[in-house]
Amino acid sequence: MKQQGVHPENAEGTSDAGARPKPDVERDAVGKNDDVPEETHVSDEGHTGEVEGDEPLLPARVHRPSDLMRFVVGVLTIVVLLAVAAFAHGTTSGLEQDINKGTGQAPDLLIKIAGLASSIAILLVPVAFAIERLIKRDGLRIADGVLAAVLAHGVTLATDLWVARGAPHSIQEALTQPYPGDIHALTDPVHGYLAPVIAYMTAVGMSRRPRWRAVLWIVLLLDAFSMLVTGYTTPFSIILTVLIGWTVAYGTLYAVGSPNVRPTGQTLLAGLRHVGFHPVNAAREEVPDSENGDRGRRYFVTLEDGPPLDVTVVDREQQAQGFFYRAWRNLTLRGFATRSSLQSLRQALEQEALLAYAATAAGANTPKLIATSELGPDAVMLVYEHTDARTLDSLADEEITDGLLRNAWHQVQALQSRRIAHRRLAGDAILVDRSGDVILTELRGGEIAAGDLLLRMDIAQMITTLGLRVGAQRAVASAVGVLGPDAVAACLPMLQPIALTRSTRATLRKLARERAEREREAVLEGSRQAKEARLKEASEDARPALEKPDKKTVRAEQRAEKRAIDEALEEAREEDLLTQIRHEVLRIRPQAPVEPARLERVRPRTLISFIAGAIGAYFLLTQFTHIQFGTLFANAQWGWVLAAVLFSALSYVAAAMALLGFVPERVPFLRTVAAQVAGSFVKIVAPAAVGGVALNTRFLQRAGVRPGLAVASVGASQLFGLGCHILMLLAFGYLTGTEKTPSLSPSRTVIAGLLTVAVLVLVVTSVPLLRKFVATRVRSLFAGVVPRMLDVLQRPQKLVTGIGGMLLLTGCFVMCLDASIRAFGDQTTSLSIASVAVVFLAGNALGSAAPTPGGVGAVEATLTVGLIAVGLPKEVAAPAVLLFRLLTLWLPVLPGWLAFNHLTRKGAL
């Protein structure tokens, strides 16, 4: 077997090692291994070696994300193919005619020979490949292939049955045609023998064996040609057959897992001997997880005749780690996405080798790559000269001197001078050796010939990494001293969390939580000191114990307490690191651009909103298709429409009452009503459960309520509203179940709902991760809400206002929906108030949970389905829901926008 690698050069600059003798094997820059069986990676050739900290017991099978991605792509392609067949009938028929016309001129002898050869080969090739695999003792792959073939055959049978009995006529015409010699029979939509063969050959891994892959494609092309010419199939049938076999194969591989062929430490030692080294032992190094989880396994290798080595082994399983994160970054970010999500081992090997050589040529201090090689078809190794150094994260603060900072920036400058982007200048990628020299590692995710965007991102990342250790002032000063003020100022638009590494973002979030906790403690301390000062003044004034202070005195004391808390908060307020870095740079270059660059192509919220909105729009369109809106609105009862408008308008007054009932401070009522109207505009641009909370919190803060108390007031209102919502849903559901029965037993739906809630509670409390998540959220909520509720309970009038507002708010929406139903129905189609209330409460709950702005799509679908389920005709339910949403969501947008702008100008928002 032939193994090639980089020629190991004599190590220079090492005091304890002589020149390593040159091996007799000729080695190239990158090792090659053509069509090497898995089980013969590298032979040990009788040598022995010790491996310390070798791989633990590995799972027999691994689930590769790449298999899942290929399965998803196959399913989507099948859906697209069927959609084309269903809606592009002219295209499919024209394609069939062109192919029949072109193949009709083929000689009959050629057709017969091709058909006979393909029929024999289609059976012999899988058998021959199975024999070859069994000889190589690779029975697991054969078992995977047989399972995939069985499943593919089952899918073809199901597809044939669906096309024959349930598929649209256009799909039947695209996938079938009259059987030659019998016009009353049709050809098979999917070939039951061809799809299993494709699934089998794909599952056993033929894609990594060029010779077998070429034989398979020749056989498939001959078989397709013979069937098309003789009229036994259609082009779409051939394509669908190939897609089914390919998709089922990768679905099977992901479901059952692929055989784990990860090389062990002994395989590594044998591989090193194959490229000319003489290892004595190898020690597995424990390293933290990398940015994308594909850092590889590190080994410290001792040689018989030279200095030690650092060896990185990367296999297919590690290469697949971080796949979904990289895919998401590539989808959502513009211009600087991470490396290819489906990068092969060969590509990874070549990229890291290229970057290592380019960085060395640029003069940067990086580990010297001296050999690369494949360890069979499923792993590669990269051999570096050993670097005795520590990471920047492991250094003590006093060890990070200004000289070390300048040295680090000189290494970055060397890369930038040759337009090499590192892409991951985190603390664990920056090493410092015994002499204090900085060494840059983890170049695997970098890029050569990088654009200005990536180069500026490297500077922003490096400043942030150093700022986390030495502060913003020293980090910026060291960068300006080496790169110059213009280069540092140009990175300010990149100084945002999304442009930084995942580990850096996590560190910044942790610091933000600690900063918020310190501010909270400062506020509590300020409040405590203000109360102690007030009590001290009262005792000095010798105020009678039974004398009640007047309102003027109380207000003065409250203002003094608020002023003390604000001063404490102002003293405790700290700027985050990124803001500090911006200020330091602006002191040097006041004209530097500060507006953050738009790096996101699409935001997660936008993507989810678009998908949910599309689903909701599709559902509504299907519901409205058969409704004659002209006739319906002509017969509408406009008196009930006016009543629905009045109930919708009254809901804003009720919302203001529900909010002010949990705010002990004095807040203008009419301005609060205007804020609730402004919330109608905010609901369109943010999810319903988020926009209203943010707006009310901001409004209370502007009205003079302290930030912490404003959040607590809104939280108390939301918490109490949730409880009322659940109680009313249960109560109305109970009444709905007893409407048509003489007994007071609840309906089965209510019982099922209670049991479902009980099961969910048991699941949450039994799973430690879920229990911790819920407990943390509830604890943080009650930390501010409970004291606020105690303040409200001391004022019964406020509590009555809040509860009454919540009940009135729900009643207004229920009556608005009921009036909308009566506007398009009659006496025979009317529903009870209890049934309407249950439908509204369920739809409102789902709308609050939906990530779409205003619950668009989710609320309409839930209300329509709910009204139909309780007995309302679809012809009445659909327009009633449309009118209800028009009055409560869409028409208030313009008044909400006017109120939002008015309150913003007045400083109330």
Side-chain angles (χ1 to χ4, degrees):
M1 179 184 59
K2 183 180 179 181
Q3 271 289 17
Q4 297 174 329
V6 176
H7 195 295
E9 300 173 356
N10 294 334
E12 297 179 0
T14 58
S15 57
D16 57 345
R20 185 186 300 112
K22 296 184 178 180
D24 298 330
V25 199
E26 184 67 19
R27 290 180 289 268
D28 299 325
V30 178
K32 298 180 180 180
N33 188 354
D34 296 332
D35 200 18
V36 178
E38 295 89 328
E39 49 296 327
T40 58
H41 297 306
V42 202
S43 62
D44 205 355
E45 298 180 358
H47 296 280
T48 60
E50 298 179 357
V51 181
E52 302 175 8
D54 197 7
E55 283 290 344
L57 184 63
L58 300 175
R61 290 179 173 272
V62 291
H63 302 275
R64 295 174 177 169
S66 57
D67 294 336
L68 177 61
M69 180 56 64
R70 292 186 176 97
F71 170 74
V72 173
V73 170
V75 171
L76 294 178
T77 307
I78 291 175
V79 172
V80 171
L81 179 70
L82 294 178
V84 172
F87 299 106
H89 177 67
T91 302
T92 58
S93 59
L95 179 62
E96 291 180 9
Q97 293 175 2
D98 293 341
I99 292 178
N100 291 334
K101 181 179 179 181
T103 57
Q105 301 177 358
D108 293 338
L109 180 60
L110 177 61
I111 296 174
K112 292 180 181 179
I113 294 175
L116 179 61
S118 62
S119 300
I120 298 174
I122 206 75
L123 298 176
L124 290 182
V125 171
V127 174
F129 188 79
I131 295 174
E132 190 264 350
R133 289 289 88 198
L134 290 174
I135 294 175
K136 300 294 185 180
R137 298 181 181 179
D138 196 10
L140 285 177
R141 294 184 186 272
I142 301 301
D144 295 342
V146 172
L147 177 60
V150 172
L151 294 177
H153 185 65
V155 173
T156 58
L157 292 179
T159 305
D160 288 345
L161 184 62
W162 171 71
V163 173
R165 298 185 179 182
H169 182 68
S170 56
I171 292 182
Q172 291 182 354
E173 290 188 351
L175 298 177
T176 62
Q177 63 181 10
Y179 202 83
D182 187 0
I183 60 174
H184 300 290
L186 297 177
T187 59
D188 294 333
V190 182
H191 300 282
Y193 69 92
L194 192 58
V197 171
I198 296 174
Y200 168 83
M201 302 301 281
T202 304
V204 296
M206 177 173 289
S207 61
R208 296 195 297 270
R209 293 165 179 82
R211 299 184 184 90
W212 286 100
R213 185 175 61 227
V215 171
L216 176 63
W217 278 111
I218 293 174
V219 171
L220 292 178
L221 290 175
L222 284 177
D223 187 71
F225 172 77
S226 61
M227 288 190 297
L228 284 173
V229 171
T230 54
Y232 285 99
T233 189
T234 66
F236 276 81
S237 177
I238 291 290
I239 298 174
L240 181 61
T241 300
V242 174
L243 287 175
I244 287 177
W246 188 77
T247 304
V248 170
Y250 283 111
T252 304
L253 287 177
Y254 185 77
V256 304
S258 302
N260 195 343
V261 292
R262 173 177 289 186
T264 63
Q266 292 295 341
T267 308
L268 169 65
L269 296 178
L272 288 172
R273 294 187 184 99
H274 241 319
V275 292
F277 297 102
H278 303 284
V280 176
N281 56 41
R284 172 77 182 277
E285 297 180 4
E286 296 295 334
V287 293
D289 294 335
S290 67
E291 178 73 7
N292 296 324
D294 57 353
R295 185 172 184 171
R297 288 171 293 146
R298 302 293 181 86
Y299 290 89
F300 173 76
V301 179
T302 304
L303 301 179
E304 295 178 358
D305 52 356
L309 304 174
D310 290 329
V311 182
T312 300
V313 177
V314 181
D315 52 48
R316 293 190 184 277
E317 282 66 45
Q318 288 174 315
Q319 183 72 5
Q321 292 181 16
F323 168 80
F324 294 108
Y325 174 76
R326 295 193 301 269
W328 176 251
R329 297 274 289 185
N330 291 338
L331 174 66
T332 57
L333 303 184
R334 60 172 86 218
F336 67 98
T338 55
R339 63 174 174 82
S340 174
S341 300
L342 293 175
Q343 191 180 39
S344 66
L345 282 174
R346 165 63 63 173
Q347 291 172 331
L349 179 67
E350 293 175 348
Q351 180 181 11
E352 184 165 354
L354 177 61
L355 285 164
Y357 295 143
T360 301
N365 196 6
T366 59
K368 187 175 182 180
L369 180 67
I370 57 176
T372 61
S373 179
E374 292 182 346
L375 298 178
D378 295 297
V380 296
M381 70 173 179
L382 299 104
V383 183
Y384 293 91
E385 287 185 350
H386 175 62
T387 302
D388 187 11
R390 293 180 294 165
T391 64
L392 181 69
D393 291 338
S394 64
L395 295 180
D397 292 341
E398 58 272 12
E399 294 182 89
I400 306 178
T401 62
D402 291 339
L404 188 149
L405 297 178
R406 288 192 298 271
N407 193 337
W409 281 112
H410 280 300
Q411 308 310 317
V412 175
Q413 184 184 41
L415 295 180
Q416 300 246 329
S417 65
R418 300 294 178 88
R419 306 198 68 83
I420 300 173
H422 188 285
R423 304 294 301 276
R424 229 198 127 258
L425 288 168
D428 59 344
I430 302 172
L431 304 183
V432 181
D433 62 14
R434 295 181 181 275
S435 61
D437 292 333
V438 173
I439 304 170
L440 299 182
T441 63
E442 299 297 327
L443 283 164
R444 183 177 182 187
E447 288 190 17
I448 62 172
D452 292 335
L453 186 69
L454 292 178
L455 298 179
R456 288 188 292 162
M457 283 178 58
D458 268 1
I459 297 176
Q461 173 63 53
M462 190 66 173
I463 291 179
T464 306
T465 299
L466 297 180
L468 289 171
R469 295 305 314 274
V470 301
Q473 184 176 7
R474 288 182 62 191
V476 173
S478 61
V480 171
V482 176
L483 302 180
D486 294 334
V488 177
C491 80
L492 284 189
M494 305 296 113
L495 203 64
Q496 47 185 309
I498 193 174
L500 306 176
T501 65
R502 196 186 333 189
S503 59
T504 304
R505 295 198 302 270
T507 304
L508 292 176
R509 286 194 296 267
K510 179 182 177 182
L511 294 177
R513 289 193 296 268
E514 295 175 353
R515 189 167 55 250
E517 183 64 23
R518 288 194 296 270
E519 293 178 358
R520 180 175 177 272
E521 293 176 355
V523 169
L524 294 177
E525 179 65 20
S527 177
R528 186 185 62 82
Q529 293 177 359
K531 290 180 181 179
E532 291 179 354
R534 186 175 60 191
L535 293 175
K536 182 178 180 181
E537 291 176 0
S539 62
E540 292 175 354
D541 293 343
R543 182 184 300 166
L546 299 178
E547 180 181 349
K548 184 177 180 180
D550 55 9
K551 292 184 178 180
K552 184 176 182 181
T553 304
V554 172
R555 291 178 181 175
E557 292 176 349
Q558 291 177 347
R559 286 195 296 269
E561 181 181 356
K562 180 179 182 297
R563 184 167 55 254
I565 292 176
D566 291 341
E567 291 175 356
L569 180 62
E570 186 65 28
E571 293 178 0
R573 183 172 287 115
E574 306 173 26
E575 291 182 337
D576 62 276
L577 177 63
L578 299 185
T579 302
Q580 296 176 24
I581 294 175
R582 292 190 189 95
H583 290 168
E584 290 295 330
V585 175
L586 290 175
R587 289 192 184 98
I588 301 171
R589 279 288 184 270
Q591 70 278 15
V594 294
E595 185 69 21
R598 176 68 185 276
L599 302 178
E600 288 181 296
R601 181 183 293 113
V602 57
R603 296 181 179 178
R605 186 182 67 187
T606 305
L607 186 61
I608 296 174
S609 300
F610 174 78
I611 295 174
I615 294 174
Y618 173 79
F619 177 82
L620 292 179
L621 290 177
T622 56
Q623 294 293 322
F624 296 155
T625 303
H626 305 291
I627 299 177
Q628 302 293 331
F629 283 100
T631 305
L632 195 65
F633 280 101
N635 299 328
Q637 302 181 39
W638 293 101
W640 284 110
V641 174
L642 180 60
V645 173
L646 295 177
F647 284 123
S648 176
L650 184 60
S651 65
Y652 296 101
V653 178
M657 295 172 56
L659 176 63
L660 294 181
F662 297 91
V663 183
E665 291 83 2
R666 185 178 180 84
V667 179
F669 181 76
L670 293 179
R671 182 165 287 188
T672 307
V673 174
Q676 305 313 303
V677 176
S680 302
F681 167 69
V682 177
K683 284 193 301 184
I684 298 299
V685 296
V690 177
V693 172
L695 183 136
N696 286 330
T697 303
R698 178 70 173 174
F699 170 73
L700 293 180
Q701 292 177 5
R702 288 291 188 175
V705 182
R706 291 194 297 273
L709 297 180
V711 173
S713 295
V714 176
S717 175
Q718 292 289 320
L719 184 62
F720 209 94
L722 176 62
C724 290
H725 194 100
I726 295 175
L727 291 176
M728 286 188 290
L729 182 60
L730 294 176
F732 283 117
Y734 185 92
L735 294 175
T736 302
T738 60
E739 283 178 348
K740 299 181 181 180
T741 59
S743 65
L744 293 179
S745 60
S747 65
R748 293 182 178 180
T749 304
V750 175
I751 296 176
L754 292 175
L755 292 177
T756 303
V757 172
V759 171
L760 290 177
V761 171
L762 289 176
V763 170
V764 170
T765 54
S766 61
V767 179
L769 182 62
L770 293 177
R771 183 172 63 248
K772 181 179 178 181
F773 176 80
V774 174
T776 303
R777 296 300 184 272
V778 172
R779 192 181 301 113
S780 62
L781 176 65
F782 277 91
V785 169
V786 171
R788 198 58 166 170
M789 291 296 297
L790 295 177
D791 293 340
V792 173
L793 289 176
Q794 297 176 3
R795 303 184 181 187
Q797 184 180 359
K798 282 283 187 180
L799 186 61
V800 171
T801 301
I803 297 176
M806 290 178 182
L807 297 176
L808 180 61
L809 179 62
T810 302
C812 289
F813 282 125
V814 171
M815 296 305 298
C816 180
L817 180 58
D818 183 70
S820 301
I821 295 172
R822 296 178 184 274
F824 298 103
D826 51 28
Q827 296 295 330
T828 60
T829 59
S830 62
L831 299 175
S832 66
I833 293 296
S835 299
V836 177
V838 170
V839 173
F840 164 74
L841 291 171
N844 187 56
L846 183 59
S848 298
T852 57
V856 174
V859 174
E860 289 83 355
T862 305
L863 294 180
T864 305
V865 172
L867 292 176
I868 295 174
V870 296
L872 195 66
K874 181 173 65 175
E875 292 74 13
V876 178
V881 171
L882 179 63
L883 176 61
F884 173 75
R885 293 291 281 172
L886 192 67
L887 296 177
T888 58
L889 179 66
W890 298 110
L891 288 183
V893 171
L894 181 58
W897 178 73
L898 296 175
F900 186 85
N901 288 335
H902 173 72
L903 293 176
T904 302
R905 287 196 301 270
K906 294 293 184 179
L909 283 179

